[in-house]
């Protein structure tokens, strides 16, 4: 694996997790939004990831000598609305968004679930940052060893 490819993999993970965190924050911010521009309450959004630049398994052995690294990081493939979870209905006939029976539909956002996902996203971001720092440390150490070997006098020069 090339050194800069390791940096790119960690950076793609941090970028994807930052985007996921933004979507989670949007979900939490709209926990009480009962009407949107499209009509109806806000729907929770879910971020989907996939591997970036996937090499099909059948091509792996043919290209292994040319491109030995298969992992290339992560990318955001889509942001979908959660249509499986039902809206929360509460009886409030005084609310302008109440239906004919007096019930208001609130978003399908569960704050506990969103906070759990936020913790998960934060930990994944931290793991990618740690991997990035470890790669940087290895590169720095390798460069300092190379400079030390290059600049140190040979035994013949000392005599």
């Amino acid at each position: 694996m090339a050194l800069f490819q390791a940096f790119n993999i960690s950076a793609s993970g941090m970028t994807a997790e930052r985007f996921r965190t933004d979507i989670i924050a949007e979900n939490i911010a709209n926990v009480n939004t009962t009407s949107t521009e499209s009509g109806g309450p806000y729907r929770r959004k879910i971020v989907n990831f996939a591997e970036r630049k996937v090499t099909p398994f059948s091509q792996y052995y043919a290209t292994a000598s040319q491109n030995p690294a298969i992992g290339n990081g992560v990318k955001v493939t889509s942001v979908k609305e959660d249509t499986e979870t039902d809206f929360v209905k509460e009886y409030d006939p005084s609310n302008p968004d109440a239906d004919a029976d007096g019930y208001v539909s609130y978003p399908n956002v569960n704050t506990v679930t969103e906070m759990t996902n936020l913790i998960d996203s934060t930990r994944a971001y931290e793991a990618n940052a740690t991997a990035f720092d470890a790669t940087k440390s290895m590169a720095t150490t390798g460069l300092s060893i190379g400079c030390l070997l290059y600049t140190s006098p040979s035994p013949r020069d000392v005599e």
Side-chain angles (χ1 to χ4, degrees):
M1 178 188 304
L3 181 66
F4 291 111
Q5 185 177 10
F7 285 129
N8 287 335
I9 290 170
S10 296
S12 73
M14 288 188 288
T15 301
E17 291 300 338
R18 188 193 71 220
F19 183 78
R20 181 178 171 210
T21 301
D22 290 343
I23 296 299
I24 292 168
E26 180 182 330
N27 288 340
I28 293 171
N30 286 295
V31 72
N32 291 319
T33 304
T34 56
S35 63
T36 60
E37 291 177 5
S38 60
Y42 175 84
R43 280 202 178 271
R44 175 178 180 255
K45 294 181 183 173
I46 302 170
V47 179
N48 295 314
F49 297 144
E51 184 180 355
R52 191 171 52 175
K53 298 179 189 172
V54 176
T55 303
F57 187 73
S58 61
Q59 296 177 7
Y60 172 65
Y61 289 107
T63 62
S65 60
Q66 299 156 351
N67 186 13
I70 293 194
N72 290 304
V74 67
K75 65 180 179 179
V76 174
T77 56
S78 65
V79 178
K80 296 182 180 177
E81 290 186 345
D82 180 6
T83 57
E84 295 177 12
T85 310
D86 293 330
F87 293 123
V88 177
K89 292 200 174 236
E90 289 186 14
Y91 184 73
D92 185 7
S94 63
N95 191 314
D97 292 326
D99 62 10
D101 297 328
Y103 286 93
V104 179
S105 293
Y106 283 93
N108 57 349
V109 177
N110 183 336
T111 308
V112 174
T113 301
E114 296 303 321
M115 291 304 292
T116 303
N117 289 340
L118 184 61
I119 292 169
D120 180 48
S121 182
T122 303
R123 297 291 186 261
Y125 185 93
E126 289 172 357
N128 281 295
T130 301
F132 190 92
D133 286 341
T135 305
K136 183 174 74 170
S137 176
M138 286 186 281
T140 304
T141 302
L143 286 172
S144 65
I145 290 172
C147 290
L148 183 64
L149 292 175
Y150 182 72
T151 59
S152 64
S154 66
R156 286 179 285 180
D157 295 337
V158 176
E159 297 174 355

